[in-house]
Amino acid sequence: MSYQPHGDYDGRPRYAHQHYPEGQEYRDRDRRGERSADTIANIIRVVVGLVTTVFALHVLFAILDANHHNGFVHAVYVLAKTLVLGLGDVFTPDDALIGVIMNYGLAALVYAVVGHLIISALRR
């Protein structure tokens, strides 16, 4: 003797008739999360690139002894001083130009490494 349920029975348990997200809905939700993480990672990459470019321009202007009264050179100088976040006086060699190169190079390296770590964490 076999058991035969009453009514319509399609072989699935009773709770299966309720609406639960199908596999595609889960995949779409995961893709949305990945896309937002990718967007944030790309924004961080652009910001880190801009900051390191400002540091590189500041070092280049210091090496070439650019005119600080020029508006663009002055803006880069002020922006670099703001973004260096205390790393502008880590090294204090006798030659001030070497100090600028080493300090702002270190700051650019720190920004690049921290940015890379954040981007890697977002991509996981």
Side-chain angles (χ1 to χ4, degrees):
M1 178 192 259
S2 68
Y3 172 72
Q4 293 295 324
H6 298 287
D8 267 346
Y9 181 69
D10 61 357
R12 295 188 300 178
R14 189 175 319 155
Y15 60 83
H17 295 288
Q18 299 171 357
H19 177 70
Y20 289 103
E22 297 295 323
Q24 185 62 35
E25 291 179 48
Y26 282 121
R27 285 190 293 275
D28 289 344
R29 188 179 313 145
D30 287 344
R31 285 188 192 124
R32 278 190 297 257
E34 288 174 6
R35 280 184 283 189
S36 62
D38 284 344
T39 302
I40 293 169
N42 287 336
I43 290 170
I44 291 172
R45 180 179 293 120
V46 168
V47 168
V48 168
L50 289 173
V51 170
T52 54
T53 301
V54 167
F55 290 152
L57 284 173
H58 177 64
V59 168
L60 182 68
F61 292 157
I63 291 172
L64 298 176
D65 196 27
N67 180 8
H68 284 270
H69 297 294
N70 181 297
F72 181 68
V73 174
H74 182 69
V76 168
Y77 172 77
V78 169
L79 197 55
K81 282 288 194 187
T82 304
L83 294 173
V84 77
L85 300 176
L87 295 173
D89 58 355
V90 173
F91 300 108
T92 55
D94 292 333
D95 188 7
L97 183 61
I98 302 260
V100 168
I101 294 169
M102 291 174 65
N103 289 320
Y104 285 87
L106 174 67
L109 182 66
V110 168
Y111 269 93
V113 168
V114 170
H116 178 73
L117 291 174
I118 293 171
I119 291 168
S120 295
L122 286 172
R123 301 268 173 166
R124 286 187 188 166

